[in-house]
Amino acid sequence: MEVIREPAAMADWASERRNQVIGLVPTMGFLHDGHASLMRLIRSQVDHLVVSVYVNPLQFGPQEDLDRYPRDAMGDAHTCEGAGADVLFMPSNLYPSGFKTSVSVHGLVDGLCGATRPGHFDGVTTVVARLFHLVGCRIAVFGEKDYQQLMVIRQMVRDLGMPVRIVPGPLVRDADGLALSSRNTYLSASERQRALSLHRALFAMRHSSEREVTTLLSMGRATIDADRIDYLEIVDAVSLEPLSVLDRPARALVAAMYGTTRLIDNVAMGPELRWT
Ligand code: AMP
């Protein structure tokens, strides 16, 4: 596996392989099995698999955890190598000096995490657009763990006609059901125990025969043990608009605080969504 640290070197590497299929797994590092599952998902579909590790300052708010975001360059290299990556792209800075461009998707970013993290998704779409250009990927995989992000990226690619196929990667959980996340490392033992209520609430809603969303949400709220719930919603699986009745493919999503740690989780509800 090759490690590339400069954006210009990444672009040169990609242009030498213009006629081959390059796949990209964008990450912020501190990799776990959820990230590795995304690599394995597209490994056989591509000639070259690139994993990027970059803690993107543009997607962090002023009060968020940019400075303390966990890092483990050696561990990340080991995980990428084990999952069959050809290149680990690990720039210390991804943007040229004087960078002035922003990519924004409207509407889809207004609710859910967009409401509590203003500007977050503009940072995500901007970094992903730049990564797509530098890496020259034809396939990129994004985890359903960040469901709103996945749908925002899918919209950006459609709207701008980017020649990249977006593949959704199933959410990977720990044995006890907690969604794997780099941020789980911040949790104390008791916070981690209480955080198990998130997936329990989501799966209780998923397995209920109730179709009225307000009833389902009250059931979910009663199960969650958190210091603060940022949101618990059931939305249309594509438009991300809130639903009142579960009559189409939907998603139940939650964001909650444990001390200073913000966790998110989600689960599919209602009829299955056909991914296009
Ligand atoms: P992050 O490093 O947190 O920015 O995540 C990088 C990619 O890995 C995103 O597409 C995430 O949705 C995905 N990811 C993170 N955690 C998981 C998980 N538990 N299961 C599946 N994909 C995940």
Side-chain angles (χ1 to χ4, degrees):
M1 186 180 72
E2 196 173 333
V3 178
I4 297 181
R5 296 183 189 275
E6 294 299 327
M10 186 69 247
D12 287 345
W13 181 95
S15 68
E16 285 160 16
R17 291 160 181 83
R18 193 165 307 169
N19 297 323
Q20 291 163 300
V21 179
I22 298 171
L24 173 66
V25 182
T27 80
M28 297 205 300
F30 207 70
L31 302 177
H32 49 65
D33 204 46
H35 298 111
S37 75
L38 305 183
M39 301 174 206
R40 292 192 292 263
L41 189 62
I42 58 165
R43 173 62 276 188
S44 64
Q45 302 174 41
V46 301
D47 298 316
H48 303 281
L49 180 62
V50 178
V51 179
S52 63
V53 169
Y54 182 61
V55 182
N56 172 35
L58 293 186
Q59 69 191 70
F60 286 78
Q63 310 300 329
E64 294 183 357
D65 57 343
L66 173 63
D67 293 335
R68 65 169 187 140
Y69 197 82
R71 292 163 203 252
D72 178 13
M74 295 266 280
D76 290 350
H78 186 74
T79 303
C80 292
E81 189 123 48
D86 299 297
V87 171
L88 172 54
F89 178 41
M90 232 179 195
S92 52
N93 179 24
L94 194 62
Y95 303 104
S97 66
F99 187 81
K100 289 186 175 59
T101 300
S102 175
V103 180
S104 288
V105 170
H106 302 286
L108 285 179
V109 306
D110 293 342
L112 303 167
C113 286
T116 35
R117 304 185 71 189
H120 167 70
F121 286 111
D122 288 356
V124 170
T125 41
T126 302
V127 77
V128 170
R130 178 153 167 80
L131 282 169
F132 282 3
H133 281 109
L134 287 172
V135 174
C137 55
R138 275 195 241 162
I139 302 180
V141 55
F142 290 84
E144 291 182 351
K145 160 79 180 0
D146 299 85
Y147 189 79
Q148 186 176 18
Q149 168 175 283
L150 167 67
M151 300 316 278
V152 167
I153 298 290
R154 175 177 172 271
Q155 186 75 41
M156 172 186 79
V157 164
R158 289 182 164 206
D159 290 355
L160 298 182
M162 293 178 166
V164 183
R165 181 159 66 86
I166 302 301
V167 176
L171 197 161
V172 177
R173 298 178 179 282
D174 226 330
D176 58 11
L178 186 68
L180 290 183
S181 165
S182 308
R183 288 187 169 102
N184 291 350
T185 187
Y186 300 147
L187 298 171
S188 69
S190 73
E191 285 169 342
R192 197 182 188 293
Q193 203 54 36
R194 293 166 64 219
L196 298 179
S197 65
L198 297 178
H199 84 274
R200 288 196 187 117
L202 293 172
F203 280 90
M205 297 194 300
R206 178 181 159 90
H207 294 133
S208 167
S209 54
E210 177 62 51
R211 301 288 96 179
E212 291 291 334
V213 167
T214 44
T215 315
L216 284 164
L217 293 178
S218 326
M219 184 190 296
R221 275 186 182 274
T223 308
I224 294 172
D225 175 10
D227 295 328
R228 189 181 82 219
I229 300 177
D230 270 356
Y231 61 77
L232 173 68
E233 289 193 44
I234 296 178
V235 300
D236 180 290
V238 176
S239 71
L240 306 184
E241 294 288 340
L243 292 179
S244 52
V245 181
L246 206 53
D247 57 359
R248 66 194 85 168
R251 207 88 191 175
L253 304 103
V254 66
M257 297 297 298
Y258 291 87
T260 54
T261 306
R262 187 172 181 278
L263 299 182
I264 58 172
D265 198 349
N266 69 84
V267 75
M269 303 277 290
E272 198 181 329
L273 174 69
R274 285 180 56 135
W275 183 262
T276 50

